[in-house]
Amino acid sequence: MAPREAEPEQVAPARLKYMEELRRLREEAGMSLGDLSEATTYDRSYLSKLERGERLGDFDTARRLDEVYGTRRMLQNLWLLAKDEAYLGRYKQFMRVEAEASVRFEYSASTIPGLLQTEAYAREQLGTGLLSEDKLERDVEARLNRQAVLARAIPLRLRVILDESALRRRLKDPSAWNRQLEHLVKMAELPNIVVQVLPFGAGLQYLLGGSLTILGMPDGVYVAYLEGSTSGELIEEPAEVEQHKLFYDQLRDAALPPAESLEFIRNLIKD
């Protein structure tokens, strides 16, 4: 029997529109890829991959192509839509994996992780995204519902490293912030949860400025998720995941032990 051919990867709508417009504009301008390469100084193979949807490129590329074709901000706007679409797709995939995980290692550089947030914290953080009231309510509810993994029959084993900066950036309401810190202590006292604080005195670390989540599945497979304020990357390649597990271990080695971390948080409550 002849081997079955792999099905072509589906291209998301906004990305498909972006690649189609790139090809259409070049052909209507009567330019070859070589001509476009000379006009933009971008490599011919790079431009070809953009038109085939194999790469999305960056915002500066879209801006330069708008200049070449005289299309104002059309390509820049399409690129932004495609970028958001790609991020949401990766995040949905992460959510699926997250629900199946049996163990989770997490490092957060600037905020309290969603699984350990109070409703007040979630509402204030999500509210900074300029959401409508209805959308804000839905997002807060969804975030709190995700915490159910900590109370299921076989609860998720959670280990969190909190950068000190996440504990210094308070909520606007002092009493709500106090309740968030108390909630952290309460959760950290559960047998399936460990919280460690990475103090400022630990110095610079490789992962500062973002967040890292490593999920362990029941079958022993691990995946990693790197997240910034507006982007995320799901990593499934075993060698890359292993590298990020080492980065996490470095953070854990530099962090305060669990008992000292709890004392650190309790002192913040007293202050």
Side-chain angles (χ1 to χ4, degrees):
M1 180 181 295
R4 180 180 177 183
E5 294 185 3
E7 295 182 3
E9 183 180 354
Q10 291 187 338
V11 181
R15 187 164 183 161
L16 179 62
K17 180 64 174 176
Y18 182 60
M19 58 185 273
E20 288 177 344
E21 285 300 305
L22 291 177
R23 186 183 304 113
R24 180 187 67 80
L25 289 168
R26 179 178 59 79
E27 291 175 350
E28 288 185 355
M31 302 176 71
S32 66
L33 284 170
D35 295 333
L36 187 59
S37 177
E38 291 183 8
T40 62
T41 70
Y42 292 124
D43 187 77
R44 184 182 184 281
S45 63
Y46 169 67
L47 295 169
S48 177
K49 288 178 180 178
L50 294 180
E51 292 189 5
R52 297 199 304 269
E54 294 177 8
R55 290 192 61 178
L56 182 59
D58 57 21
F59 185 76
D60 284 341
T61 301
R63 179 184 55 77
R64 179 67 184 119
L65 290 170
D66 268 332
E67 293 174 353
V68 169
Y69 296 130
T71 45
R72 298 188 178 183
R73 292 184 56 86
M74 184 187 78
L75 292 175
Q76 295 168 68
N77 290 333
L78 279 175
W79 183 89
L80 289 170
L81 288 173
K83 177 178 177 291
D84 289 344
E85 188 176 65
Y87 171 61
L88 289 173
R90 288 192 296 267
Y91 189 67
K92 286 179 180 178
Q93 188 178 0
F94 168 74
M95 293 283 285
R96 174 185 58 77
V97 176
E98 178 189 56
E100 300 172 1
S102 58
V103 61
R104 177 178 180 135
F105 303 95
E106 187 164 356
Y107 165 68
S108 181
S110 54
T111 60
I112 306 299
L115 291 183
L116 298 178
Q117 290 180 5
T118 60
E119 180 177 346
Y121 192 102
R123 188 177 302 280
E124 184 169 322
Q125 184 188 20
L126 292 169
T128 60
L130 305 178
L131 306 176
S132 67
E133 190 62 33
D134 287 345
K135 181 68 165 62
L136 176 60
E137 291 301 322
R138 291 196 300 272
D139 285 3
V140 170
E141 182 180 9
R143 176 163 295 184
L144 297 178
N145 286 341
R146 288 168 58 195
Q147 297 176 0
V149 296
L150 298 174
R152 63 194 182 192
I154 302 178
L156 174 76
R157 288 180 292 143
L158 174 66
R159 184 156 198 158
V160 171
I161 299 173
L162 275 176
D163 197 273
E164 183 176 344
S165 60
L167 296 168
R168 297 292 183 184
R169 189 175 299 280
R170 306 179 178 187
L171 294 177
K172 295 176 182 177
D173 180 353
S175 61
W177 176 238
N178 207 55
R179 289 193 296 273
Q180 173 63 73
L181 293 176
E182 291 172 344
H183 180 69
L184 268 179
V185 171
K186 178 182 176 182
M187 298 302 288
E189 290 174 339
L190 296 175
N192 60 308
I193 299 176
V194 175
V195 174
Q196 290 182 257
V197 175
L198 182 69
F200 290 145
L204 296 177
Q205 303 293 328
Y206 181 75
L207 291 172
L208 288 180
S211 67
L212 169 66
T213 300
I214 298 173
L215 299 174
M217 313 307 289
D219 60 3
V221 173
Y222 282 84
V223 300
Y225 188 71
L226 283 171
E227 187 174 17
S229 58
T230 59
S231 62
E233 179 184 4
L234 184 66
I235 301 170
E236 299 179 272
E237 175 61 36
E240 291 186 51
V241 173
E242 189 63 30
Q243 182 64 59
H244 284 84
K245 287 171 70 176
L246 290 175
F247 291 149
Y248 185 88
D249 287 344
Q250 290 175 345
L251 290 171
R252 184 174 58 191
D253 292 343
L256 298 176
E260 291 182 27
S261 296
L262 279 181
E263 189 62 25
F264 185 98
I265 300 173
R266 290 191 182 104
N267 287 334
L268 290 179
I269 296 173
K270 293 176 184 178
D271 293 340

